[in-house]
Amino acid sequence: MLELRSITAGYARNAPVVRDVSLTVAPGESVGLLGPSGCGKSTLARVAALLHRPDSGTLLLDGEPVRRWRHRAPREKRTAFGVVFQQARLSADPRLPLTDLIAEPLRATGRGDEVPGRIAELAPVVGLTSDLLTRRPHEVSDGQLQRACLARALVLRPRLLVCDEMTAMLDASTAAALVAAVEDYRAATGAALLAVGHDRTLLRRWCDRTVAWDSLI
Amino acid sequence: MTCDAPAPAAAPERTEWRSHGPRRRSTRALRVRTSAALVAATVLAVLLVPPLVQLDQQAVDLAAKLRPPSWAHPFGTDDVGRDLLLRCVYGLRVSLLVGVAAALTATVVGTAVGAAAGALGGWADRALMRVVDTFSSVPHLLLGIFIVTMFRPGVWPVVISVALTHWLSTARIVRAEVLSLRSRPYIDAAVSGGASRWRVTVRHLLPAVLPQAALAAVLMVPHAMWHESALSFLGLGLPTHTASLGTLIQSARGSLLAGQWWPTLFPGLFLIVPTLAIAGLAGAWRERINPRHRSELML
Amino acid sequence: MSAGLDVTPPVLSVRGLSVRFLMPGGRRVAAVTDARFDVAPGECLALIGESGCGKSVLASALLGLLPGNARTAGSALLGGLDLLTADERTLARTVRGRLIGLVPQSPAAHLTPVRTVRSQLEETVAALTATRGRAALRAAAEAAAERAAFPADHLDRHPHQLSGGLAQRAATALALVGDAPLLLADEPTTGLDRDLVDRTADELRRHVDEPGEGGRGRALLMITHDLAAAERIADRVAVMYAGRIVELADAAAFFGSPGPRHPYSRGLLQALPDRAFTPIPGMPPELGDLPDGCAFAARCDRATDACAAPPPPGTVACHHPHVPEDVRA
C-alpha cells in the first residue's frame, strides 16, 4: 500500500540525509527498518508519513503518486497514517491534558462528537486509567505519556502505523505493552506497520520482515 | 555480600526528615513585593486621585509660581504656579495610558506578524521579515518623529508612533519561538492527525508563545513611556498644556538652569520609579514562566 | 556469591535512604523509600527500573542536587562522609568530581558546546588535581583522554564535531579526571544504538576493573532502564519499583539461572523481546498515593491477603518470592 521509490531527502539543500532509498510496505504487512542512530531513518519515516517533502523520488500510496506533503497533502491521505515518535515529551503539546491530546485529531477533523466514545475505547487498549487522562504531560511519566501518544496515533483508525523508535526510551514492560497494543490494533483492523529502530532483537520479534538500512543504499 | 544482612524495619514515626536545596536568603520576594506595591500605588493613584480630589490641575496661581516643596504644595509649583504633585499624577496618567495602549497595539501587531511569518514560512516569511528589517533599519526616534509630525498633536498620534516603532522586537521573538516549536514532533503529530495550518497555529503554536508575547508587552510599557516622554520633551508629542511626564520635564528645563530642581526631579522620579517597578514584576514573571521551574517534581 | 568480597569495606554504603517531595497542597510524594545497598571497589551495581520509579531521584540525592521541596532521611556514607547531611560547600569542593565521577545521560549536552574537548579536559584537570603549568596540564589532559580511549587527534574538536560514541568517551574522560573512587552513571546508554551500548558498557566495565588509587578498582553505580546493558556490565543488580529497592541480586543469577526472585523483576525480564515479550499487566502506582502493603500486589499473580502488609525487609522485598525450586519446575 506504501511504496517509496528512490527517495532523496534532507534538511539542507546540498546535504541529503537520505539518498536514493526505496522501500515497500504491503497492505497489512509489518516492516522493521533497522539502522544505527543518526543514519537518516527517522527522516525517511517522516517522508513516508507525508510529513517531510523529499528532494526527489516518488511515493506511491495505494498505487497513486503523492505530490503534496504536510498541510498541502489531502487530509484523508495524511490521516491514513498514525505516527508515534521516540520522545514522548516532545511529541505532546505540554498544555493539553492527555484526554485532549488523544482527542485532538478527532476535533481537528470535525469529528468531535466521537471523542467520549473513542477515548473510552482506547484508554484500556493502551493501558491508561481515567485519573491519568485528566493530567497534563508534566504530571505523568515518559511511559504513560507514550501510551497516550500511541492512543492519539490510533484514534483516527489509520491504515498504516509509523513507529519511529517508539520504545527506545521505555522500560522493557512498557515497551512490550505498547508493542502488544499496536499488534492488537493491527490484528483487528489489518493495518500495516513501518517500525523504525535500532534494536535488532525487538524488530525481528515484532515485524514480519526487517530491512537493514545498509541494504537500502 | 555486605548488604545481605537483614535490614531493621524502619519505624516511620521515628524517621527524621532533613530539608535540602538552597538555603541562601534571596531578595527575590522583597523585590517582587516592592515592585507589586509600587505598581499598585501607581495604578490606584492615576485611577483614583483625579476623580476623588476634584482639584483643577490647570489652576494657575501666578502669585505662587516656582515655590519649592512645602506642606501646601508637597512637590512645589511650576512656572505659572500650578501644583506639581497634581500635575505629576495627571502626567503619569497620560504617560501610562500612552504606554499601555502603545504596548498593547505593538504586541498585537508584532504577534500577528511574527506568528504569520513563522507559521507560513517560505516566501511569506521572507517578505514579512524584510519589512521588519526595513523598519528596524531606521532609528526608532526618527521614525517616531516622522509619524507624529504627519498628524495634529494629540494622544493617539503618539500612541501610533510608539506602537509602530516597537512591534518589531515582538515580531522577531514570536517568529523565532514559532519556528523552534514548528519542528517539534508534536506539530508533526498534529499535521498527521489532519489539523489544518490554521488549527496548528491557533491551537498549538500561538498558545505556546502567548506567555512570551505578554511578557514582552509588559516590558514594553516602560519602554513606550520613555519613548512618549522623549517625543514630548522634544516638543513633538503631546501639546504642552496636556500634562505628561515628558511635557512636564520639557517645560521645567529653563527653571533647572535657574537652580529650581523640583519641577524636573519629581516628574523624573514619576517616570523612573513606576517603570522600574513594572520591569521588576515582569522579571519575576519571566522566572515563573521558565519551563525549567514548572515541575517541582523531578521524576 | 563470593564471601571474599566482604573483606574490603564498601565505597558507598546507603542505609534507609528515603526522599519525599512536599507538593503544594500538603501532598507528599514518596520518591524513594528506605533504600539500602552497598557498592564495593571493583564492583558494578546496576540500579534498574522504569522511568518515574525514583532511580534518578536517588542519584540526585547522592550528588546533593535535590530541589528545595525535597526532604531526605537515612544515610549514604562515602568514605566516612554522609552525603545526605554534607553541606553544599563540602559537596562542591570534595565530593563532585573528586569522590563521585558523574557519567552523564546525554554527553553531547554535558559538554560545553563552544570549547574544544582539550580545553575542557585541561580545565577539569586544573580544577581537580594539583597539576599546574601549561605543559603539565596538556600532558595530563592527554593522559586523561587516553584512559577513556578518546583518540588524541580528536582533542581539538568541538563537541558537535564528535560522534555519539566519542562524545560519550569525552564525558567519561572528564568523569575520570578526579580519580574518584565512585563512578555514577545515569542512563549512560539512552538513545545509543545496540553496538554503541555494548561498547559504552564495556568501557565502563574496564574503568571498574582498572585499579585506581590504592589498587582496588573503582565502584560503579549505574542507573538504567536498559536491561541488556545492565546484563553486560553489572556484578549485582538492584531492582527499583515504586521508590523501593525490591530485589538485590547477583547479576549472573538474576539474568541467568535461577533468575530473579521478585515477581516484578521476573515480569520485567519476561517483557524483553528475546524472552516472552509479554508486558506486566497494569501500571505502577502513583508515588504520591502508595498502598500500605506491597506496591506491586495489584499487578502480581502471586498476590494473597498477606500482601496488604508491608513486604519483609531483606534482599527480596516480597511475601511470596520465587524460590530456586519452582524456577526449575
Side-chain angles (χ1 to χ4, degrees), chain A residues 36-37 86 127-129 132 135 141-144 147 168-174 176-177 179 198-202 205, chain C residues 49-52 190-195 225 227 264 268 271-280 282-284 286 299:
Chain A
S37 47
Q86 175 175 3
L128 284 174
T129 51
L132 286 172
R135 296 202 205 161
S141 73
D142 283 5
Q144 292 162 342
R147 288 168 190 262
M169 313 276 277
L170 305 177
D171 65 283
S173 175
T174 311
V179 169
H198 64 247
D199 191 333
R200 198 170 293 121
T201 328
L202 171 73
R205 181 80 188 246
Chain C
E50 56 208 282
S51 78
T190 298
L192 302 181
D193 46 71
R194 202 75 261 157
D195 299 341
H225 69 256
L227 296 172
Y264 172 68
L268 209 53
L272 283 173
D274 50 356
R275 299 194 188 205
F277 205 30
T278 46
I280 306 169
M283 278 206 288
E286 291 300 317
R299 304 172 72 185

Side-chain angles (χ1 to χ4, degrees), chain B residues 1-10 15-23 296-299, chain C residues 1 5-6 18 20-21 28 36 38 57 60 67 69-74 84-85 236 313 315:
Chain B
M1 284 287 153
T2 34
C3 42
D4 284 2
T15 311
E16 262 182 51
W17 295 101
R18 292 176 295 259
S19 77
H20 289 263
R23 261 180 220 87
E296 298 202 295
L297 188 65
M298 37 182 313
L299 291 176
Chain C
M1 285 197 238
L5 275 176
D6 289 13
S18 302
R20 298 285 176 275
F21 288 108
R28 283 162 82 87
R36 175 189 171 84
D38 290 317
V57 176
S60 304
N69 64 337
R71 300 289 178 270
T72 62
L84 297 180
T85 52
R236 283 191 305 140
T315 51

Side-chain angles (χ1 to χ4, degrees), chain C residues 170-325:
Chain C
T172 310
L174 286 170
L176 293 175
V177 164
D179 204 21
L182 175 68
L183 287 179
L184 180 60
D186 185 8
E187 302 273 9
T189 58
T190 298
L192 302 181
D193 46 71
R194 202 75 261 157
D195 299 341
L196 216 46
V197 167
D198 290 350
R199 272 225 307 279
T200 307
D202 292 349
E203 279 168 20
L204 282 171
R205 182 72 234 182
R206 196 164 56 75
H207 299 310
V208 172
D209 295 335
E210 179 181 86
E213 214 173 326
R216 299 186 315 173
R218 294 184 181 85
L220 170 63
L221 175 59
M222 182 168 86
I223 291 168
T224 188
H225 69 256
D226 186 340
L227 296 172
E231 178 172 10
R232 199 172 175 94
I233 173 171
D235 297 304
R236 283 191 305 140
V237 181
V239 183
M240 205 160 175
Y241 181 74
R244 271 177 196 275
I245 293 182
V246 294
E247 178 165 6
L248 249 169
D250 190 68
F254 184 87
F255 289 107
S257 169
R261 298 187 56 208
H262 195 284
Y264 172 68
S265 319
R266 294 189 80 81
L268 209 53
L269 279 194
Q270 287 310 310
L272 283 173
D274 50 356
R275 299 194 188 205
F277 205 30
T278 46
I280 306 169
M283 278 206 288
E286 291 300 317
L287 294 179
D289 185 25
L290 290 177
D292 294 328
C294 173
F296 187 64
R299 304 172 72 185
C300 184
D301 55 0
R302 298 168 78 96
T304 60
D305 293 343
C307 300
T315 51
V316 183
C318 181
H319 291 286
H320 310 291
H322 291 264
V323 288
E325 287 71 49

Side-chain angles (χ1 to χ4, degrees), chain A:
Chain A
M1 72 169 284
L2 177 73
E3 193 178 347
L4 299 158
R5 277 191 202 152
S6 50
I7 295 285
T8 297
Y11 302 93
R13 195 150 296 174
N14 296 317
V17 193
V18 177
R19 243 180 250 267
D20 200 23
V21 171
S22 302
L23 184 71
T24 311
V25 183
E29 189 191 22
S30 60
V31 177
L33 177 58
L34 191 65
S37 47
C39 70
K41 58 192 194 302
S42 296
T43 307
L44 190 70
R46 293 185 71 224
V47 171
L50 311 188
L51 291 170
H52 185 78
R53 168 186 283 281
D55 298 336
S56 69
T58 320
L59 185 147
L60 298 170
L61 182 60
D62 303 321
E64 269 182 61
V66 169
R67 294 202 175 78
R68 293 163 179 274
W69 265 264
R70 279 189 88 83
H71 291 295
R72 295 208 176 90
R75 184 178 270 169
E76 67 278 5
K77 286 199 175 151
R78 265 192 270 158
T79 55
F81 297 88
V83 289
V84 189
F85 300 102
Q86 175 175 3
Q87 287 176 301
R89 291 276 149 220
L90 299 180
S91 316
D93 189 331
R95 296 174 319 102
L96 299 184
L98 300 197
T99 314
D100 292 336
L101 182 85
I102 299 169
E104 187 56 27
L106 283 174
R107 298 208 174 106
T109 49
R111 291 156 61 187
D113 50 326
E114 297 173 34
V115 169
R118 280 301 275 159
I119 297 273
E121 272 171 56
L122 280 169
V125 169
V126 297
L128 284 174
T129 51
S130 54
D131 63 316
L132 286 172
L133 287 171
T134 56
R135 296 202 205 161
R136 282 162 204 271
H138 67 104
E139 294 165 317
V140 301
S141 73
D142 283 5
Q144 292 162 342
L145 196 53
Q146 191 68 302
R147 288 168 190 262
C149 289
L150 176 61
R152 173 181 60 189
L154 298 180
V155 77
L156 292 179
R157 297 192 180 86
R159 289 184 292 137
L160 191 140
L161 275 165
V162 178
C163 299
D164 181 7
E165 297 271 22
M166 178 175 77
T167 61
M169 313 276 277
L170 305 177
D171 65 283
S173 175
T174 311
L178 288 185
V179 169
V182 167
E183 288 309 302
D184 287 349
Y185 172 77
R186 290 186 52 238
T189 60
L193 168 74
L194 175 61
V196 177
H198 64 247
D199 191 333
R200 198 170 293 121
T201 328
L202 171 73
L203 290 187
R204 291 226 169 108
R205 181 80 188 246
W206 184 2
C207 303
D208 301 336
R209 172 165 81 90
T210 53
V211 186
W213 180 259
D214 302 332
S215 71
L216 293 175
I217 305 168

Side-chain angles (χ1 to χ4, degrees), chain B residues 243-268:
Chain B
S244 88
L245 297 171
T247 54
L248 287 176
I249 297 171
Q250 194 243 354
S251 54
R253 247 181 337 167
S255 21
L256 184 63
L257 295 174
Q260 286 115 5
W261 46 269
W262 55 95
T264 323
L265 176 72
F266 290 114

